[in-house]
């Protein structure tokens, strides 16, 4: 793909329905509605959305306390745009705002991608869904 890629770190005029549709079509949909996507991005410490012209083709966001701990989620590049450095650029934008913090993330199968950015595998991660997945005050929006 040869369109010009731009990176936005604000959430002005994001088409959440379009984000949802592209994620679903790219098999990277974890069930959030457009308004749940909006809430999760708005409640993040920092976000990056990559665009090819007006089309959303990448996302990444970070949860952080602004002091010592950060957690990166929703790192995704639309399949036709992969292996062009887009996710690396989004990660660098997020990491540049996390000086002095320990940054953690979980991945099933993208270890090599993160190692290239300087992440090291840590032996044990634990997780739990509290109650039912996606059922909370943002469910009805
Ligand atoms: C993982 C993902 C975000 C990478 O996005 P991308 O924009 O293609 O990444 P980049 O082009 O910045 O890749 C940088 C480097 O990471 C490594 N890398 C990226 N994808 C890789 C893959 N599928 N297999 C092995 N190495 C990979 C390569 O070393 C690559 O450099 P190279 O292209 O010069 O060889 C993308 O494949 C994706 O969206 N996957 C599905 C969602 C996902 O798994 N996200 C991570 C969840 S935690």
């Amino acid at each position: 793909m040869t369109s010009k890629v731009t990176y936005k770190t604000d959430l002005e005029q994001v088409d959440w329905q379009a984000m949802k549709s592209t994620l679903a079509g790219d098999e990277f949909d974890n069930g959030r509605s457009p308004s749940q996507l909006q809430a999760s991005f708005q409640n993040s410490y920092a976000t990056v959305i990559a665009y090819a012209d007006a089309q959303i083709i990448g996302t990444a966001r970070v949860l952080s306390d602004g002091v010592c701990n950060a957690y990166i989620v929703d790192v995704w590049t639309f399949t036709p745009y992969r292996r062009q450095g887009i996710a690396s650029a989004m990660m660098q934008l997020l990491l540049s705002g996390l000086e002095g913090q320990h940054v953690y993330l979980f991945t099933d199968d993208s270890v090599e991608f993160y190692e290239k950015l300087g992440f090291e595998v840590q032996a044990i991660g634990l997780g739990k869904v509290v109650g039912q997945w996606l059922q909370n005050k943002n469910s009805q929006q």
Side-chain angles (χ1 to χ4, degrees):
M1 294 278 167
T2 52
S3 331
K4 180 171 161 21
V5 177
T6 52
Y7 301 92
K8 286 189 70 177
T9 54
D10 64 65
L11 296 175
E12 283 166 29
Q13 296 183 326
V14 175
D15 184 339
W16 301 104
Q17 180 61 61
M19 181 187 285
K20 167 78 183 179
S21 303
T22 310
L23 287 169
D26 210 34
E27 294 175 5
F28 196 65
D29 179 3
N30 72 355
R32 281 169 291 177
S33 65
S35 59
Q36 286 176 313
L37 281 169
Q38 179 174 11
S40 55
F41 276 70
Q42 283 175 340
N43 292 333
S44 299
Y45 182 72
T47 62
V48 188
I49 300 177
Y51 290 86
D53 300 321
Q55 186 189 8
I56 293 173
I57 52 129
T59 63
R61 64 189 181 92
V62 59
L63 318 176
S64 171
D65 57 19
V67 179
C68 54
N69 287 106
Y71 188 76
I72 285 183
V73 286
D74 284 350
V75 181
W76 161 79
T77 300
F78 186 34
T79 298
Y81 290 86
R82 288 182 188 171
R83 304 305 284 260
Q84 299 172 37
I86 292 169
S88 298
M90 294 191 295
M91 286 290 295
Q92 295 295 2
L93 278 166
L94 292 182
L95 294 172
S96 68
L98 299 172
E99 190 72 29
Q101 299 191 43
H102 177 260
V103 182
Y104 195 72
L105 57 85
F106 177 81
T107 185
D108 289 324
D109 53 12
S110 303
V111 174
E112 190 178 326
F113 165 70
Y114 291 112
E115 283 182 337
K116 210 164 178 186
L117 292 163
F119 285 77
E120 293 173 7
V121 172
Q122 295 192 340
I124 296 177
L126 298 175
K128 170 183 165 76
V129 175
V130 179
Q132 244 187 304
W133 174 242
L134 293 182
Q135 296 305 307
N136 50 46
K137 67 180 169 64
N138 288 306
S139 306
Q140 305 311 322
Q141 293 178 359

